[in-house]
Amino acid sequence: MNFDILEKRAEVLAKVVVCIADLYHDGNLDAGQKGLLETLLGAGIWYLPSGKELFTGKISKAALEKIITDPKIKLVEEHGFPRKVAGKSLFCDHLEDLKLDYTKLQNLYLNKMGRYNLVLKEENNKLKKFQKTNTFISEEEAYKSAGIELVSIDESHYNLPQLKKFNPNPPAKSTKVKKEKKGVTTKTISKSIPKQKKTIVDEVNNMTFGQTVQLKKGKNVSQTYVIFMKYIIDNFSNKRYHVDILSKFIKDNPIDESFGKAVFYKRIVGHNDWYFSTYFGTAAKYSNMKKISDELKFNLELVD
């Protein structure tokens, strides 16, 4: 997913919401006219960039059972939060937030309005009557009313032809896999910083001070964030209980209460028996990386 395009389009759409909000809330408009404005915004949301980053990791039980035995079965990317309902919600539930910060729409899209599950075509048709603005209550209620049960995809399921493109952690192209080492060593740190720079490692705290740590960017912001957090775990997890910023973002329990909705949306990543959430918008991910590197007193440099 192209996050740069998403940021620009989401900002424009947020400005549109704010600009025509007075018209929407004009007492002279009838239900049909309001519905038209909701549809226009819903169409705008539909044109925002999409990608596997928005996949919830959930599939209908019936769909999973069918694709296991039939590689030709087609799946539908079904948005649990209907587009027209999203348009109405922007006018009625999020207007004040958008007036203060246009980036709120991007966060809403990444965490709610753009998210999708995988279902069969016939199941998608069943859902439609429960996703109208006058009947929709919640994603859970709509699926329940349509008789559709969602299940989480296991890692092994991503080997199925229909699910390969949705794999959040596709296997590396190289056949050589280097085993990761736990703990902090001068050797592991030196691989991430320029060779001409000398790394100063505090023998007591096992932290690098004032040095530039270079990390290679992933294909997108989410992958870059995962690379960064794994680096932090590999090199600083032994200080988790002594550094507040680490205790905030890194947990020893994959369903820690502080993860909130990240657990439900399967946005928890495990690494070396530690866990962290990726349930953040683009801006928040960059902000988190900056906060953590500043607290640990090293300069982070992301390279292509």
Side-chain angles (χ1 to χ4, degrees), residues 26-44:
D26 188 330
N28 295 321
L29 293 187
D30 60 29
Q33 291 172 311
K34 283 190 171 184
L36 176 60
L37 294 179
E38 293 164 1
T39 300
L40 290 174
L41 282 190

Side-chain angles (χ1 to χ4, degrees), residues 91-149:
F91 279 130
C92 300
D93 303 321
H94 304 288
L95 179 59
E96 296 306 316
D97 288 336
L98 293 179
K99 287 180 179 180
L100 296 174
D101 185 0
Y102 293 132
T103 64
K104 292 288 185 181
L105 194 148
Q106 179 179 327
N107 291 332
L108 283 169
Y109 178 73
L110 290 173
N111 297 318
K112 184 177 183 180
M113 296 178 177
R115 308 277 288 168
Y116 60 84
N117 308 304
L118 297 176
V119 301
L120 297 170
K121 183 178 180 180
E122 54 266 33
E123 291 178 318
N124 184 49
N125 291 332
K126 286 182 181 179
L127 280 165
K128 289 180 180 178
K129 67 178 181 179
F130 302 109
Q131 295 182 324
K132 297 179 180 180
T133 53
N134 61 337
T135 59
F136 184 79
I137 299 174
S138 67
E139 177 182 352
E140 293 76 17
E141 285 295 323
Y143 275 78
K144 182 179 179 181
S145 298
I148 300 173
E149 179 183 354

Side-chain angles (χ1 to χ4, degrees), residues 191-241:
K191 289 180 180 178
S192 301
I193 62 176
K195 290 183 178 180
Q196 68 271 22
K197 293 184 180 180
K198 183 179 179 181
T199 304
I200 302 174
V201 181
D202 186 283
E203 294 179 356
V204 177
N205 295 322
N206 288 330
M207 294 184 181
T208 56
F209 290 96
Q211 296 298 300
T212 296
V213 173
Q214 287 188 333
L215 294 180
K216 190 174 181 179
K217 293 180 181 178
K219 293 181 180 179
N220 51 55
V221 177
S222 294
Q223 286 190 11
T224 300
Y225 188 71
V226 169
I227 290 170
F228 172 80
M229 292 302 293
K230 286 184 176 180
Y231 172 82
I232 295 300
I233 289 174
D234 285 341
N235 293 282
F236 299 103
S237 61
N238 60 330
K239 287 289 134 188
R240 175 183 171 274
Y241 296 108

Side-chain angles (χ1 to χ4, degrees), residues 237-266:
S237 61
N238 60 330
K239 287 289 134 188
R240 175 183 171 274
Y241 296 108
H242 307 289
V243 180
D244 290 341
I245 197 75
L246 296 183
S247 298
K248 179 179 179 181
F249 290 102
I250 300 173
K251 308 294 180 181
D252 57 6
N253 182 358
I255 57 173
D256 190 277
E257 190 179 64
S258 65
F259 284 145
K261 291 184 178 180
V263 176
F264 175 79
Y265 287 115
K266 307 285 286 184

Side-chain angles (χ1 to χ4, degrees), residues 169-181 191 230 271:
N169 300 301
K173 293 182 179 180
S174 174
T175 56
K176 295 181 180 180
V177 180
K178 184 174 287 186
K179 187 176 181 181
E180 294 180 330
K181 296 182 179 180
K191 289 180 180 178
K230 286 184 176 180
H271 183 64

